[in-house]
Amino acid sequence: MEKELKFPEGFLWGASTSAHQVEGGTKNQWTEWEKKNAERLAKEAGSYWQSWQRSKFPEMMKNENYISGRAADHYNRYEEDFDIAKSLNHNAHRFSIEWSRIEPENGKFDEKEIEHYRGVITALRERGMEPFVCLWHWTNPLWLEEKGGCESSEFPKYFARYAKLMAEKFGDSVNFWLTINEPMSVISNCYLQGIWPPQKKNSSSALRVYGTLSEAHKKAYKEIHAVSENAKVGFAHIVSYFEAYNKDSYLDNLAVKIAEYFGNKKFLNMTKGHNDFLALQYYFHNRVSFFGGVKNENESVTDLGWEIYQEGMYHLLKWMKGYGLPIYITENGLADADDKKRTAFIADGLKWIHKAIEEGVPVRGYFYWSLLDNFEWDKGFWPRFGLVEIDYVTMGRKVRKSALEYAEICRKNGLETDIEKKSQKTLDR
Ligand code: BGC
């Protein structure tokens, strides 16, 4: 029989974006890196991706795929985009402020850009959407990058000054602040694996960045609270669900403990006492083997080849309950250009979140990643995460079918179990 899974009253429903990925026209360390690396990335795509991915997304072999450029032109079209989000019954929205626009030179703040973001926040409020404002989604102003970027011991000081200014300017209309987006993605991709700028493979740099980013968060937390006592401040934390590849193996279980410590717990513990809520971002389920690293079976995958395993969110939520703080899911999404798996993905995720809530986990909101198709960092434009499809030639917006299904969930503050069953079939395929 059809049953409705109801969510708590006041639950926040929405989607996320980040400045560099959708605004267009940014100038930061990523834009510089893109210019230098586009040709290499286009060449490497030919051997990196599987043949089904290459034939489905031939644009991955072109240089322009790797240049953020106009992105989704959201800087100029945010009102139109928020009209769409409102029409989809979202009552909250997460976005990020581009620090390099606000402070293009050390200590010089651009009033025109501050006004721009005032406009963004007002546009959300006018449409009845609660703004979740992220202060740093990986992009640094160039002057800061020259000083060593995230590795610089001055990073926390400069970040806190910028956070204080943002709280002074917008504290009257913003309740929820996210300081740093996914410190672990930065530590791993920029400083350990050497994939993202500044492409280091150096464990002492990585350890230093645990320090600078956690310090930056704590300082910003204090500055924001000094301005707005009632503000709610957190950071966006990517957490992965780790399981032992061989459940009976002592060493594989030990590898899980190590991965959990460095990946999920360490940064959280370093910021203890400086979080008003936890912001969970979930994409990965990893089966860890002591000798073989990560060995995933990847049965049902996204266009990026990432395994779909929404149950992982449930286990992570149960663990996070132990921190005794309200939890928001500030990102969860998939690249799915054909929009065949998105409805099932969302519905299945919400089923697991609902189960966690029923078992006492204080989850207060869900933000799908992403509202719009966007620039997916070193992968460029081909992965399509959006509820809304972007035509990058005309900049036209087209609401995907899954966005309408999600809109019904938002409207009802609940999920019909038959959509979940229907959609589970699609996932199983
Ligand atoms: C990031 C987003 C990114 C998404 C999908 C998250 O880790 O915060 O910027 O687009 O994952 O890869």
Side-chain angles (χ1 to χ4, degrees):
M1 222 184 58
E2 190 182 301
K3 193 179 138 209
E4 193 175 353
L5 303 178
K6 271 280 175 202
F7 282 75
E9 214 178 298
F11 198 81
L12 295 181
W13 296 103
S16 296
T17 62
S18 93
H20 185 70
Q21 295 178 271
V22 294
E23 283 185 351
T26 52
K27 196 169 186 302
N28 51 47
Q29 94 278 27
W30 267 91
T31 48
E32 296 305 296
W33 185 82
E34 289 158 19
K35 281 184 236 155
K36 292 190 195 118
N37 289 274
E39 200 179 325
R40 171 181 65 82
L41 293 168
K43 263 202 205 113
E44 284 174 5
S47 51
Y48 183 79
W49 299 99
Q50 296 189 16
S51 60
W52 66 269
Q53 290 163 313
R54 291 200 305 270
S55 53
K56 194 165 171 191
F57 304 104
E59 64 269 39
M60 67 164 68
M61 261 88 75
K62 297 204 172 123
N63 295 4
E64 61 263 32
N65 175 66
Y66 299 95
I67 305 280
S68 55
R70 282 204 298 163
D73 197 29
H74 179 68
Y75 186 82
N76 297 307
R77 297 169 197 246
Y78 66 86
E79 294 201 309
E80 175 189 347
D81 293 337
F82 295 164
D83 282 343
I84 297 174
K86 181 182 156 70
S87 78
L88 295 173
N89 306 320
H90 296 189
N91 62 11
H93 180 73
R94 173 190 170 208
F95 70 96
S96 76
I97 293 180
E98 176 65 25
W99 185 0
S100 63
R101 289 192 195 276
I102 300 289
E103 193 178 358
E105 285 175 54
N106 188 357
K108 290 205 176 133
F109 299 94
D110 186 331
E111 283 301 326
K112 216 176 90 258
E113 296 293 356
I114 293 171
E115 269 318 295
H116 170 81
Y117 288 106
R118 155 83 46 207
V120 171
I121 293 163
T122 307
L124 287 173
R125 284 265 172 243
E126 281 171 356
R127 288 162 181 77
M129 286 184 272
E130 182 72 41
F132 268 56
V133 180
C134 180
L135 291 171
W136 189 77
H137 201 119
W138 303 344
T139 48
N140 288 331
L142 292 174
W143 59 266
L144 179 58
E145 196 60 20
E146 274 159 29
K147 288 177 181 287
C150 302
E151 253 193 284
S152 163
S153 57
E154 293 185 304
F155 185 94
K157 169 182 91 183
Y158 290 124
F159 182 69
R161 179 176 68 182
Y162 153 66
K164 175 171 184 262
L165 181 72
M166 294 299 91
E168 285 166 354
K169 296 288 178 183
F170 305 132
D172 55 346
S173 37
V174 173
N175 300 318
F176 293 94
W177 298 92
L178 291 161
T179 55
I180 306 262
N181 182 68
E182 295 187 358
M184 291 320 303
S185 301
V186 175
I187 291 166
S188 165
N189 293 325
C190 307
Y191 294 95
L192 270 180
Q193 299 186 56
I195 307 170
W196 291 353
Q199 287 192 278
K200 291 210 173 168
K201 284 189 189 180
N202 182 325
S203 46
S204 44
S205 295
L207 283 174
R208 198 169 309 128
V209 176
Y210 267 109
T212 54
L213 294 186
S214 58
E215 202 45 40
H217 168 75
K218 289 194 283 185
K219 273 192 164 29
Y221 177 92
K222 285 188 197 134
E223 293 290 2
I224 297 170
H225 274 293
V227 178
S228 315
E229 216 183 312
N230 297 325
K232 304 277 178 239
V233 186
F235 72 93
H237 196 26
I238 185 162
V239 281
S240 304
Y241 178 51
F242 298 106
E243 280 189 290
Y245 184 70
N246 176 351
K247 293 214 164 57
D248 301 326
S249 152
Y250 170 78
L251 287 177
D252 284 7
N253 281 293
L254 179 66
V256 166
K257 291 269 171 272
I258 296 169
E260 280 176 345
Y261 173 72
F262 284 103
N264 295 348
K265 294 181 180 164
K266 185 173 160 71
F267 197 89
L268 211 45
N269 295 344
M270 287 172 91
T271 59
K272 223 175 187 157
H274 296 79
N275 291 302
D276 302 318
F277 62 90
L278 299 180
L280 178 157
Q281 315 210 141
Y282 176 74
Y283 293 92
F284 299 113
H285 172 215
N286 290 328
R287 294 175 193 82
V288 189
S289 146
F290 191 83
F291 294 109
V294 170
K295 289 181 168 188
N296 281 336
E297 274 125 29
N298 291 354
E299 280 152 12
S300 176
V301 297
T302 73
D303 288 345
L304 280 161
W306 299 356
E307 183 195 8
I308 297 179
Y309 190 74
Q310 293 284 66
E311 180 183 337
M313 226 174 347
Y314 164 78
H315 300 289
L316 291 162
L317 285 169
K318 296 284 283 189
W319 156 65
M320 285 175 112
K321 183 182 176 210
Y323 286 84
L325 293 168
I327 302 173
Y328 295 86
I329 285 132
T330 43
E331 280 188 35
N332 174 232
L334 82 170
D336 177 24
D338 298 335
D339 201 33
K340 290 230 173 85
K341 297 180 173 174
R342 191 170 282 103
T343 301
F345 177 93
I346 295 174
D348 192 38
L350 290 172
K351 183 191 81 178
W352 287 108
I353 293 166
H354 188 270
K355 181 170 160 59
I357 294 174
E358 280 197 322
E359 292 171 21
V361 184
V363 187
R364 302 277 159 81
Y366 176 82
F367 295 78
Y368 174 79
W369 179 273
S370 166
L371 178 64
L372 309 170
D373 282 343
N374 56 63
F375 181 75
E376 180 59 23
W377 307 107
D378 62 325
K379 322 267 184 324
F381 285 107
W382 68 264
R384 302 284 187 147
F385 277 87
L387 292 172
V388 178
E389 183 181 343
I390 304 289
D391 176 333
Y392 289 112
V393 177
T394 63
M395 285 297 160
R397 271 72 174 140
K398 192 170 148 213
V399 173
R400 291 198 164 103
K401 194 164 167 288
S402 56
L404 300 173
E405 307 254 19
Y406 178 49
E408 269 304 280
I409 297 172
C410 303
R411 186 179 67 76
K412 290 187 182 147
N413 195 34
L415 170 77
E416 306 284 349
T417 43
D418 70 331
I419 139 164
E420 167 238 316
K421 257 189 247 131
K422 214 172 33 191
S423 49
Q424 187 58 43
K425 272 195 204 131
T426 332
L427 277 187
D428 291 342
R429 231 170 270 153

